Amino acid sequence: MGGNDERDLVRRGYDALSYHYRPDDADDGQYAPWLADLHQRLPASAAVLDLGCGCGVPVARFLAHAGHQVTGVDISDVQVERARRLVPTATFLRADATRLDLAPESFDAVVCLYALIHMPLPDQPGLVERIATWLRPGGWLLTTVGHTAWTGTENAWLDGPAAMWWSHADAPTYRSWLRRAGLTITAEEFVPEGASGHTLFWARRPAS
């Protein structure tokens, strides 16, 4: 598949599986400690970018309720429509994250959980570099990425009516991309899922 075919597969998959993937009233689940930790690191009324925001639950909902100014971006029309309804105080854009053009130093934090791994691999290092420019000095990136390298499609994902596609590098590769973008990695954690898992990174743009 070409990059656009892969993007369309992800977009159509989340359009079809949005409610199957996460209901309106889902709790914060495994995100809860990460979001609480992020909130403690942020100034009051911080500007936060949620890349791959899905339906706005739980990330945008938690951060908006905590008083932060949240901008969410997702490739799925259904996910964005739900997010606008579920988190009305946040701003949501239907866009391809790899093609975003945002102002430098405009966010105190960028959150990208289980989203980078749905983007074409050749586009990922460039996006990491742009994320670093969008962060204000001292700003945080919280992201989950691949633990081992893999690219592939799963039909009838989550036993639902659509396929899903992923592409990710391994953790050392993401570590090198974050550092090359000028970010300081402050924590790295393996997040198990089934027989494998993901890697969570906390990375920070230096304060000066």
Side-chain angles (χ1 to χ4, degrees), residues 47-51 69-73 100 102 107 109-112 134:
V48 183
L49 177 64
D50 183 6
L51 278 180
Q69 310 303 309
V70 181
T71 301
V73 176
L100 278 178
L102 300 173
F107 293 99
V110 175
V111 180
C112 187
W134 299 336

Side-chain angles (χ1 to χ4, degrees), residues 53-104:
C53 63
C55 69
V57 174
V59 176
R61 179 184 65 189
F62 178 98
L63 294 170
H65 287 176
H68 301 300
Q69 310 303 309
V70 181
T71 301
V73 176
D74 203 274
I75 200 169
S76 161
D77 293 284
V78 173
Q79 295 277 58
V80 169
E81 288 166 7
R82 289 183 65 201
R84 288 170 176 161
R85 173 172 58 82
L86 295 171
V87 194
T89 58
T91 300
F92 295 98
L93 309 173
R94 213 293 291 171
D96 179 345
T98 66
R99 296 168 178 171
L100 278 178
D101 183 14
L102 300 173

Side-chain angles (χ1 to χ4, degrees), residues 108-132:
D108 297 292
V110 175
V111 180
C112 187
L113 297 177
Y114 301 97
L116 197 63
I117 56 177
H118 286 302
M119 301 176 197
L121 197 60
D123 293 336
Q124 293 182 29
L127 177 56
V128 170
E129 292 185 356
R130 287 194 298 282
I131 287 171

